[in-house]
Amino acid sequence: MSTSLIETKGVSKIFGAFTAVDKVDFAIEENDAVGIIGPNGAGKTTFINILTGNFIPEEGRIFYMGKDITDVRIEKRIEMGIFRTFQLVHVFDNVSVYENLALSYYRKEENRSVPLNMFLVNFLKKKDIRRKVEEALELFHLEKKMDDIVGNLSLGNQKKLEIAMAWIADPAIFILDEPFAGISDHEIDDILVILKKLHHKKTIIIVEHKLSKLTEIVDTLCVMHEGQVIASGPCEETLNNPEVRKSYWKIED
Amino acid sequence: MEIWITAIIYGLASSGILFLVSLALSIGYGLMRVVNMEAMVYYSFGAYVTYTIMSLTGSFILGALGGMLVGAGLGLLVETQLLRKIYNREMMFTMVVTFGVFMIGIGIIQFVWGLEPKPVASPISGIVKFFGGVQIPAYRLLIIVIAVIAYILIQLMMNKTIIGKALRAGIDNRENVEGLGVNINKIFTITFVVASAFAGLGGALNAPLVMVGPYMGFDMLLFAFITVILGGLGSIKGTMVAALILGQVINVGGTIWAPLATVGPFIVMFFTILIRPTGLFGKDI
Amino acid sequence: MNKKLLSILGPVIIVALMIVFRYLFPNKITFLTEVGIFSIYVMGNNILMGYLGYTSFGQPFYLSVGAYSAAIFFAYFGGNIFLAIIVAIVVGLLLSLVLAPGLMRLKSSYFTLINAALCMIGVFIFERLLIDVTNGNDGLWFRGNMAATPLLDVRYPKNFFFFVLLILLIAFYLYQKMDKSAFGISMKATKANPEKMTFLGYNVFKIRSIGYAISIMMSTLAGSLYAINFGFVNPNLGENTRAIEVLLATLIGGVGSVFGPFFGALGFLGMKDIVSTFMTRWEFVVGVLTIIVLFKFNRGIWGLIEDGAGLVQRGRNKKTVKVGE
């Protein structure tokens, strides 16, 4: 068996009487792209939260590059290169676009355990930060918004910014929670272009409802239903799986 | 021995006042997520109105009723004119706004009644003798009885009436309750006015025990806050338990070492919060 | 006026303004000195309120800790004014090291109230517990113990004024540096979205604790300057009733801005000065002002100046500053 980049074995997350994630086995190879789909309440976001360390699963183990990380804390997992975005856009709305990106990049470059350094660094003046941030701004077509306070941007631009913040951090694995929710088709295409550039260069896990867009960038689909993975495999094949047709599309054969 | 029993019973009376006054804070937070610092205005006005009515008519009961009514009226005014508009703002915003209202209230009191503290005579002067020679002023016992009745009433309101049910549902899901045709705003207002009336009553009952002065609300605000924080913001049961604990800290503690009466509650709260950041009965919000 | 120019000239303009006032109104020198000291106090509170999103109802506690540190130093240990100020700052640092681990894990509403409690405990400590050291309510007098300082003898009010201005100038430059540094931006980002900060890999607790420590050190610095200015300290300085003053001054100046605290201090103390000539108690005015500022004026005086100077490009960069969050 080849080692997967990240792998879960029988993980479950239980809230009181409700089992949100039920004994899920999941694996993704390095530089693959996997889409996770499923109806609302299927446990997709909870599952992501288990991968990133927000939730510690009641049962099962999580492995990252063959190493058991089940009990590893959030910060440690981020250092290992697991980076996520959020379903409800998470950006810093009281500082500028530039500063948002710089914050994301700076953490990776600097030793975060020495915060005193942080008093000496000026994001605008530090050359390598500036170069990298400008690269990101260009790639994501946000150059014109560089100095804008993020709270004044459209939702689409904020979503783009959040993905740009992931991109600039250059993680080993991108976990994107509904990156296309609530934004226009045009903006989705913008993001798709960038994600396609990362395709097969980076490991990507995307939770999404917009299937038509999703299948453009993922090789594998993983369908969740009531906390369980009911099917996974190549897109076409998975979507035609009888159980998926029944429980996801509500089509009775 | 008598001294300790006296202290414990005095403590229960203090708990009674604390509970009545803190209720408005607890309910304000529990229902609307508003830390309504101005609640102490109702308490101060309750005491001042009692003073005024008593000096005009000589009747404490009329005075206390007046204090309750004025407390309720102010609560109604503030809730409908101000709090309703800021429910959805950040907690810090509402705290500073309501503190501003509190300052205005103190200003009005200074304007109407002046800076001099006003004395209020105790309405009943009898002393109840217990076994073993313990002597307790009847008035303190009356306070305990009234506070117990208030607690029972508020619990009945929260658990047995449609108001309480709608309230609890309303906190969790406002839209749903509104969809059922229940006017959640009206229910908030009613509950808030009831809590304000209790704060006014607390002021009226406390008037004979303390000097009625413009800053009485300030002193009480700190103790009321300790009560709700210790009990957990938003929990009525927690408020009651915390009031009971603090009453004993103030009186029994004060008997052991006088300064504990003022600083003891702060120390108790300080360490409780460091150990349990949401108070004794608070939920993590 | 562009931003870069402003960052260099801003502190200079403010200090120059103070000096002009000083000669225009020679009898207002005590008032102006107090504005300078109060600015530093407000700057400290602004870190909590504007950068970290914590509103403290207990800032007078930290102020009085600083004042008493200096006073006790003068009364019992020595006369060196600079050393007294350093002692106050170090005490502030130590105090924040003790308190931050508890306080910086609290929800903001609990933080607010725990600080109110600290205030009460502080008054108790200085008034009762340490009565043998502090003389309780009679206050601790030490003017005679202060030693002369070389070059500028700051024991004299007219010289002390310039000394305060110098400290204010230094404070502004450092404050500005902090505002633009990675740390300043991290604090603001933490205020906006601590969860995202965690998921970028920052240690939110550490950022908050350092911010808190800076805030407390500025408060104790201001406290020590208060003490030197008056030549005595009493427990009233740390009373809860005064907690609203610094909050209101921060709001009036403009929450989260670098120069706001100065205008807040000037505006607040100026108003207090004017109102107190025809009203003995001014709670009513404070209350009304608080509400007006919060509802109609939430970017404060600095917001008006920014708009007026056209510093902010129309519509694009307009910040809406919220209290807390």
Side-chain angles (χ1 to χ4, degrees), chain C residues 232-309:
Chain C
F232 86 103
V233 181
N234 76 5
N236 289 349
L237 192 65
E239 266 181 8
N240 278 88
T241 29
R242 307 189 62 175
I244 191 75
E245 296 183 354
V246 65
L247 296 183
L248 184 55
T250 312
L251 290 168
I252 291 175
V255 180
S257 62
V258 173
F259 297 114
F262 170 77
F263 293 100
L266 184 67
F268 175 81
L269 291 178
M271 220 139 47
K272 189 175 175 178
D273 202 48
I274 294 165
V275 172
S276 63
T277 54
F278 56 88
M279 262 171 123
T280 43
R281 311 300 304 194
W282 67 311
E283 277 82 3
F284 186 78
V285 181
V286 169
V288 171
L289 271 175
T290 308
I291 289 176
I292 292 175
V293 170
L294 279 170
F295 280 100
K296 297 286 172 207
F297 198 47
N298 72 355
R299 289 172 60 229
I301 298 177
W302 183 248
L304 293 182
I305 295 176
E306 267 191 325
D307 288 346

Side-chain angles (χ1 to χ4, degrees), chain C residues 3 7 47 53 70-71 78 80 100 110 119 121 164 193 227 242-243 290 308:
Chain C
K3 273 193 171 169
S7 70
I47 292 183
N80 188 318
Y110 284 94
C119 234
I121 295 174
V164 168
N193 196 333
R242 307 189 62 175
T290 308

Side-chain angles (χ1 to χ4, degrees), chain A:
Chain A
M1 191 184 89
S2 69
T3 45
S4 310
L5 183 66
I6 198 162
E7 187 175 6
T8 66
K9 284 189 180 151
V11 291
S12 298
K13 180 70 202 172
I14 300 152
F15 298 109
F18 173 66
T19 307
V21 170
D22 191 4
K23 299 190 182 63
V24 167
D25 294 321
F26 174 92
I28 182 167
E29 305 290 316
E30 192 162 2
N31 297 341
D32 259 5
V34 175
I36 301 178
I37 60 170
N40 283 329
K44 303 175 305 261
T45 298
T46 309
F47 179 64
I48 282 187
N49 281 330
I50 291 174
L51 291 183
T52 56
N54 287 46
F55 295 151
I56 302 297
E58 269 78 23
E59 14 174 310
R61 310 305 295 175
I62 310 158
F63 299 91
Y64 180 69
M65 299 203 232
K67 209 179 131 216
D68 188 333
I69 58 160
T70 316
D71 300 315
V72 170
R73 286 180 306 133
I74 295 173
E75 302 92 82
K76 206 84 196 131
R77 294 191 202 196
I78 294 157
E79 263 174 39
M80 291 170 159
I82 302 173
F83 196 104
R84 73 170 295 182
T85 67
F86 292 81
Q87 191 175 347
L88 296 169
V89 66
H90 270 44
V91 286
F92 306 117
D93 56 9
N94 56 350
V95 294
S96 72
V97 170
Y98 182 95
E99 287 161 341
N100 267 266
L101 289 165
L103 271 171
S104 186
Y105 180 68
Y106 173 75
R107 202 286 306 163
K108 193 178 126 50
E109 292 301 299
E110 299 290 321
N111 181 357
R112 75 190 170 87
S113 64
V114 190
L116 287 179
N117 267 357
M118 295 174 78
F119 285 97
L120 305 172
V121 172
N122 184 322
F123 284 157
L124 284 167
K125 285 183 187 150
K126 203 158 184 306
K127 283 210 180 62
D128 58 324
I129 293 180
R130 190 155 188 121
R131 193 175 338 108
K132 192 73 187 176
V133 171
E134 276 166 0
E135 193 185 329
L137 288 169
E138 201 176 322
L139 185 63
F140 285 82
H141 303 298
L142 287 167
E143 309 96 316
K144 282 184 195 143
K145 309 280 180 193
M146 178 169 132
D147 293 323
D148 283 20
I149 297 299
V150 171
N152 299 331
L153 297 184
S154 68
L155 180 64
N157 278 331
Q158 292 191 8
K159 282 241 161 192
K160 244 162 56 173
L161 174 63
E162 191 175 6
I163 294 170
M165 284 162 79
W167 179 86
I168 203 169
D170 193 31
I173 176 163
F174 288 83
I175 302 178
L176 309 179
D177 195 354
E178 300 204 15
F180 306 147
I183 63 176
S184 71
D185 277 1
H186 176 72
E187 287 163 328
I188 293 175
D189 291 338
D190 249 17
I191 294 172
L192 275 176
V193 170
I194 298 153
L195 289 178
K196 276 177 188 159
K197 284 184 193 161
L198 296 174
H199 199 199
H200 292 308
K201 291 198 189 84
K202 290 284 169 189
T203 314
I204 303 173
I205 299 174
I206 304 180
V207 169
E208 192 39 75
H209 282 295
K210 294 206 167 74
L211 260 181
S212 58
K213 303 286 183 185
L214 185 63
T215 49
E216 284 185 39
I217 40 163
V218 299
D219 323 289
T220 316
L221 276 181
C222 172
V223 187
M224 286 187 77
H225 183 68
E226 288 171 358
Q228 293 176 322
V229 174
I230 54 169
S232 69
C235 297
E236 199 70 8
E237 190 184 301
T238 311
L239 290 175
N240 287 319
N241 178 311
E243 194 165 351
V244 175
R245 289 168 65 87
K246 201 173 107 206
S247 53
Y248 189 54
W249 302 113
K250 307 272 184 248
I251 302 169
E252 298 285 342
D253 289 304

Side-chain angles (χ1 to χ4, degrees), chain B residues 90 92 95-97 99-101 103-104 110 115 215 218 222 229 233 259 263 266 269 273 277-278 284-285, chain C residues 55 57 106-108 110 112-114 117 120 124 128 240-241 244 281 283-284 287-288 291 294 323-325:
Chain B
E90 320 81 62
M92 292 304 110
M95 276 173 112
V96 184
V97 167
F99 195 84
V101 177
M103 296 300 259
I104 293 176
Q110 289 171 348
L115 296 173
Y215 292 100
F218 221 109
L222 294 169
I229 291 178
L233 283 168
V263 82
F266 291 90
M269 173 189 73
I273 291 303
T278 51
D284 193 31
I285 306 159
Chain C
T55 304
F57 274 64
L106 295 177
K107 293 263 158 28
S108 57
Y110 284 94
T112 308
L113 303 171
I114 281 285
M120 193 80 180
F124 170 73
R128 304 263 190 90
N240 278 88
T241 29
I244 191 75
R281 311 300 304 194
E283 277 82 3
F284 186 78
V288 171
I291 289 176
L294 279 170
V323 187
E325 236 166 329

